[in-house]
Amino acid sequence: DVKVTQSSRYLVKRTGEKVFLECVQDMDHENMFWYRQDPGLGLRLIYFSYDVKMKEKGDIPEGYSVSREKKERFSLILESASTNQTSMYLCASSPRGQKDEKLFFGSGTQLSVL
Amino acid sequence: AQTVTQSQPEMSVQEAETVTLSCTYDTSENNYYLFWYKQPPSRQMILVIRQEAYKQQNATENRFSVNFQKAAKSFSLKISDSQLGDTAMYFCAFMKHGNNNDMRFGAGTRLTVKP
């Protein structure tokens, strides 16, 4: 079975801290994505990556960066966490050129910035 | 850019009855995919149903079916014989055809199935 694992289910951080959210997939997928989910706004795309060491900005990249040093791992970095980054963060992956297009999701990290 | 709109923030339905969730989208693309994802309290996103825009026939998966109106850019989800386990957030999503494409989501509809 396909698996996307997010390292933490819940995380509490202080304003100004550097925060790393980790995501690992075991399916050899080329594409990986980071979304944040907020009530009334749905899922909004932060960053995505089509291959190792490459990245593309999504709709709301401000205040975030990403790292993809290995194919299976895609990290989201909050350089200096702020309270407005309190949210649920979802990681997803997909294979390139798949016949049945869809995303495979992790179970989310609920981040609270105090 | 593509946008997806779900105009019903919350809905409820009695167990065993039928409910329809609405979704509209805006795109200039001709080839694309549409999805309904379910997110139960466990937070795990589960694919409910998928529609390819070039297919005129509406997709069905057991109790779940869609009404896809390409000209109107409408993609509603019908849940028949609702069950308590259908209680969840439902997200409509859009993806362009081709490689390396991201998925865009609506704001979601919270569905409650009442016993």
Side-chain angles (χ1 to χ4, degrees):
Chain A
D1 244 5
V2 163
K3 194 155 187 184
V4 179
T5 303
Q6 293 184 232
S7 54
S8 303
R9 190 162 175 84
Y10 298 96
L11 209 53
V12 180
K13 295 292 181 181
R14 297 268 179 209
T15 303
E17 277 192 77
K18 189 169 185 176
V19 181
F20 292 86
L21 302 184
E22 305 288 348
C23 176
V24 176
Q25 49 94 4
D26 65 359
M27 300 155 289
D28 202 36
H29 287 172
E30 288 80 10
N31 306 329
M32 295 189 76
F33 308 84
W34 274 107
Y35 291 88
R36 68 176 277 176
Q37 180 181 351
D38 300 287
L41 297 176
L43 279 71
R44 292 179 292 166
L45 183 63
I46 305 172
Y47 266 98
F48 53 105
S49 170
Y50 297 140
D51 208 339
V52 176
K53 294 196 185 293
M54 68 85 53
K55 60 185 178 184
E56 296 282 342
K57 291 181 180 179
D59 294 328
I60 51 163
E62 297 77 20
Y64 303 95
S65 62
V66 290
S67 172
R68 186 130 183 239
E69 295 297 317
K70 293 185 177 181
K71 191 176 185 181
E72 67 271 19
R73 185 180 297 269
F74 192 36
S75 303
L76 180 68
I77 304 158
L78 287 66
E79 294 290 343
S80 177
S82 63
T83 54
N84 62 15
Q85 292 178 310
T86 290
S87 186
M88 167 83 79
Y89 291 86
L90 287 166
C91 175
S93 71
S94 68
R96 183 179 301 148
Q98 64 178 322
K99 183 175 180 294
D100 298 319
E101 297 276 357
K102 64 181 177 184
L103 296 188
F104 298 85
F105 283 88
S107 53
T109 295
Q110 179 64 53
L111 173 67
S112 296
V113 182
L114 306 178
Chain B
Q2 290 77 32
T3 58
V4 180
T5 303
Q6 292 179 251
S7 58
Q8 305 152 315
E10 294 188 15
M11 293 191 73
S12 63
V13 63
Q14 290 296 133
E15 195 175 8
E17 292 188 350
T18 295
V19 63
T20 299
L21 308 184
S22 301
C23 174
T24 58
Y25 59 95
D26 186 26
T27 185
S28 58
E29 301 287 330
N30 194 44
N31 291 327
Y32 51 86
Y33 304 92
L34 295 164
F35 307 82
W36 279 98
Y37 274 87
K38 169 185 176 181
Q39 187 183 46
S42 68
R43 302 186 334 207
Q44 184 65 53
M45 294 281 277
I46 301 164
L47 179 65
V48 174
I49 202 163
R50 173 181 172 276
Q51 174 80 42
E52 297 170 37
Y54 70 86
K55 288 186 177 178
Q56 292 185 339
Q57 187 173 3
N58 289 327
T60 62
E61 287 287 342
N62 301 313
R63 297 182 296 108
F64 299 89
S65 61
V66 298
N67 183 4
F68 173 47
Q69 302 288 330
K70 191 172 184 180
K73 297 180 182 173
S74 170
F75 183 62
S76 60
L77 174 69
K78 185 170 84 170
I79 306 174
S80 304
D81 186 25
S82 298
Q83 300 176 0
L84 296 178
D86 294 335
T87 292
M89 282 289 290
Y90 287 82
F91 292 99
C92 179
F94 172 100
M95 178 187 277
K96 288 191 298 184
H97 176 73
N99 295 332
N100 303 339
N101 285 316
D102 54 279
M103 192 176 286
R104 301 304 171 102
F105 289 81
T109 296
R110 182 174 300 281
L111 176 68
T112 302
V113 180
K114 297 180 178 178

